Amino acid sequence: QVQLVESGGGLVQAGGSLRLSCAASGSIFSINAMGWYRQAPGKQRELVAIKDSSGRTRYADSVKGRFTISRDNAKNMVYLQMNSLKPEDTAVYYCNADIRRSGGYYSLDYWGQGTQVTVSS
């Protein structure tokens, strides 16, 4: 069993900052990419930021220069530092990881339960 648990969401004023955390736990052999997605009401889920096991990162254009993704591979954790938040960043943020379980032959996609981020104007 593998679980992803997010924390750190909340309500913040425009221009403020939040830091999201996500911990992967369970029978994990290896983790490839870890990242963050978000889904605003009435919109499709979209990629926010992703970091692979080699350290390469990719960001949505809308968050470049404001958000920073980081990982602690020893702890199987991924973080998202969000600065200069805007009302349009309001969404449920989901942690995602490509994980190979112990004893498994393939990696699978896992999702957290989501954490709400609300940015007031």
Side-chain angles (χ1 to χ4, degrees), residues 2-120:
V2 171
Q3 275 191 318
L4 298 181
V5 179
E6 302 108 332
S7 60
L11 173 64
V12 65
Q13 287 190 331
S17 298
L18 282 174
R19 186 182 190 229
L20 304 183
S21 301
C22 172
S25 62
S27 302
I28 296 171
F29 177 77
S30 63
I31 302 178
N32 300 319
M34 296 187 83
W36 293 92
Y37 289 72
R38 68 186 181 187
Q39 187 166 19
K43 294 189 177 182
Q44 287 189 328
R45 190 174 297 189
E46 62 175 359
L47 173 71
V48 176
I50 192 166
K51 192 176 185 80
D52 67 18
S53 56
S54 299
R56 291 170 294 192
T57 59
R58 182 157 55 100
Y59 293 93
D61 288 343
S62 59
V63 307
K64 283 180 181 177
R66 300 188 297 122
F67 291 9
T68 302
I69 188 170
S70 60
R71 285 176 63 167
D72 184 333
N73 293 328
K75 296 181 179 179
N76 291 335
M77 293 195 70
V78 63
Y79 307 94
L80 186 68
Q81 178 66 42
M82 304 184 293
N83 299 327
S84 302
L85 282 160
K86 304 176 181 179
E88 51 263 44
D89 294 318
T90 296
V92 177
Y93 284 70
Y94 296 91
C95 177
N96 172 265
D98 185 40
I99 297 174
R100 182 179 168 187
R101 293 178 56 183
S102 300
Y105 292 98
Y106 306 102
S107 61
L108 296 173
D109 226 20
Y110 290 87
W111 293 90
Q113 80 285 355
T115 185
Q116 177 70 46
V117 171
T118 303
V119 184
S120 63

